[in-house]
Amino acid sequence: MEKVVSGIRPTGNLHLGNYFGAVKSFVEMQDKYESLFFIADWHSLTTRPKPEDIQNSARIILAEYLACGIDPEKAPIYIQSDVKETLELYLFLNMNMYLGELERVTTFKEKARKQPNNVNAGLLTYPTLMAADILQHRAEKVPVGKDQEQNMEMARRCARRFNNIYGVEFFPEPQSFYFNATALKVPGLDGSGKMGKSEGNCIYLHDDDKTITKKVMKAVTDNGPQAMNSPKPEVIENLFTFLKICSTQDTYDFFNEKWNDCTLRYGDLKKQIAADICKTVAPIREKILEYSADKELLDRIARQGAEVARESATATLREVRRIIGFRP
Ligand code: TRP
């Protein structure tokens, strides 16, 4: 079975966009690949989170992933900071990376612009740490969003360069893996673009029915259909996307017909969308509550995940040390 590894930054709660765009695909992957998922808490240090928040943020994300259906028996989940082997590989890989190429990474440039007073070396070597995350397991496939393409290119470069310098075929070049078939772009509720935490247009998986309904009822619309069978403007298309994602085909067809014959009332449409989103989110929310309340279970799952990860990383590092010339 091919090896799949992916990291999740513990930056806030999961929303519907994360769920349909990524997490659901993770859940499908766990049956098809030897999957390993981790919570990238070291990566979050580039923005200096508060000490009292670090462990809690990791736990929240862990609970949410489990609630979405990741089964740690099939796909172990670990917390990055539990597996120190990564750091050794990070050091080795950094020795082969050049300042110029790290500076050229777009995400670095962006973050440097966003936090001009804290352009730290961790930010610069973010791609090396990410490469270490992946290469320590000699993973072949990495499910990531399109925004990670440059980081993935750097990971491949790390692998290739190590192999070249030492004349070995040790690291496979990890391939990005877009969960194309199943992933859906979930729009925001503000009319355009996609659902994103920083846009403030999200429905969170922990939102209760009342909150969800309120958010949906406030979604942006227009003056209503003007002519029979006219194409839908983006804001309305977006609402229909929610029907596509959370409702039945019959419901979609029903409202689509109403759009086409100009009898659609947005209030009715929104009520239906709200009800169907609630139906999708409620079971996940209940599980989030259950898992978050069980710290012992969460810690046990993280511990077991770390054992699996450590075993895989230890085997890799032993070879890496030997290849570089150290005592294995
Ligand atoms: N950089 C990724 C993101 O921002 C998170 C991440 C860290 C990651 N290490 C990884 C993803 C390793 C895949 C593999 O989303």
Side-chain angles (χ1 to χ4, degrees):
M1 247 203 273
E2 274 186 310
K3 215 164 183 185
V4 160
V5 170
S6 195
I8 304 136
R9 266 183 313 148
T11 50
N13 298 91
L14 293 178
H15 52 70
L16 218 52
N18 299 133
Y19 181 67
F20 286 104
V23 189
K24 224 168 148 231
S25 324
F26 285 5
V27 175
E28 283 158 27
M29 256 176 262
Q30 64 187 358
D31 292 314
K32 299 196 197 108
Y33 300 96
E34 190 186 332
S35 318
L36 203 52
F37 300 118
F38 70 94
I39 296 160
D41 56 351
W42 277 332
H43 275 107
S44 74
L45 290 177
T46 53
T47 49
R48 295 215 187 116
K50 291 201 203 89
E52 60 270 31
D53 289 342
I54 289 201
Q55 292 179 50
N56 210 26
S57 313
R59 269 202 208 96
I60 290 171
I61 280 290
L62 180 55
E64 294 195 334
Y65 271 80
L66 295 168
C68 288
I70 302 259
D71 174 357
E73 296 290 323
K74 294 180 190 164
I77 310 186
Y78 68 97
I79 297 173
Q80 187 182 34
S81 59
D82 282 341
V83 182
K84 317 285 189 224
E85 281 73 9
T86 318
L87 292 178
E88 193 179 344
L89 187 56
Y90 173 56
L91 179 139
F92 290 147
L93 296 176
N94 263 335
M95 299 299 171
N96 305 334
M97 299 312 281
Y98 301 111
L99 182 58
E101 63 189 343
L102 290 167
E103 277 174 339
R104 275 194 300 275
V105 174
T106 323
T107 39
F108 170 72
K109 287 195 273 190
E110 258 167 40
K111 284 186 188 159
R113 194 156 33 77
K114 266 193 221 154
Q115 48 185 73
N117 297 322
N118 183 18
V119 186
N120 57 69
L123 219 45
L124 184 72
T125 56
Y126 185 110
T128 323
L129 182 54
M130 181 158 159
D133 292 329
I134 300 165
L135 299 182
Q136 67 181 340
H137 302 301
R138 299 215 266 162
E140 281 117 338
K141 285 207 154 71
V142 183
V144 282
K146 279 254 186 263
D147 61 327
Q148 295 298 307
E149 195 38 50
Q150 232 181 349
N151 285 337
M152 286 304 301
E153 182 47 43
M154 292 301 273
R156 283 189 285 276
R157 214 181 266 192
C158 277
R160 219 179 300 138
R161 200 165 292 159
F162 182 93
N163 291 345
N164 284 342
I165 290 174
Y166 296 103
V168 290
E169 282 289 327
F170 184 66
F171 287 122
E173 286 183 28
Q175 300 306 313
S176 326
F177 186 63
Y178 307 118
F179 2 84
N180 39 19
T182 47
L184 278 165
K185 194 182 121 190
V186 179
L189 290 166
D190 49 358
S192 66
K194 68 175 199 179
M195 191 174 281
K197 198 164 33 77
S198 47
E199 324 304 328
N201 59 9
C202 296
I203 290 176
Y204 289 98
L205 298 178
H206 69 239
D207 279 348
D208 59 24
D209 288 1
K210 218 173 120 196
T211 310
I212 293 173
T213 309
K214 217 159 108 193
K215 287 181 180 175
V216 173
M217 296 315 283
K218 278 206 303 213
V220 176
T221 52
D222 61 7
N223 295 329
Q226 304 296 320
M228 304 274 276
N229 301 311
S230 50
K232 301 185 188 82
E234 192 185 359
V235 283
I236 305 307
E237 192 61 57
N238 284 350
L239 288 181
F240 274 83
T241 302
F242 285 103
L243 283 182
K244 220 175 266 169
I245 294 171
C246 295
S247 311
T248 63
Q249 185 66 41
D250 282 351
T251 309
Y252 181 90
D253 293 343
F254 175 80
F255 284 98
N256 199 38
E257 243 163 71
K258 287 200 169 279
W259 165 267
N260 282 330
D261 62 19
C262 292
T263 56
L264 178 62
R265 294 201 339 226
Y266 289 143
D268 298 340
L269 173 64
K270 286 180 175 177
K271 264 187 221 148
Q272 181 74 44
I273 292 172
D276 290 338
I277 292 181
C278 289
K279 220 186 280 168
T280 307
V281 170
I284 301 176
R285 178 182 61 238
E286 274 156 35
K287 282 193 210 127
I288 293 176
L289 293 175
E290 256 172 59
Y291 280 117
S292 327
D294 197 342
K295 278 213 173 86
E296 240 168 76
L297 176 69
L298 292 178
D299 287 345
R300 191 168 69 238
I301 289 171
R303 210 164 44 238
Q304 286 166 351
E307 265 167 42
V308 176
R310 220 175 283 133
E311 198 178 310
S312 141
T314 303
T316 304
L317 260 300
R318 201 176 295 132
E319 284 304 299
V320 169
R321 286 183 210 117
R322 193 185 52 72
I323 292 168
I324 298 180
F326 289 105
R327 205 174 342 104

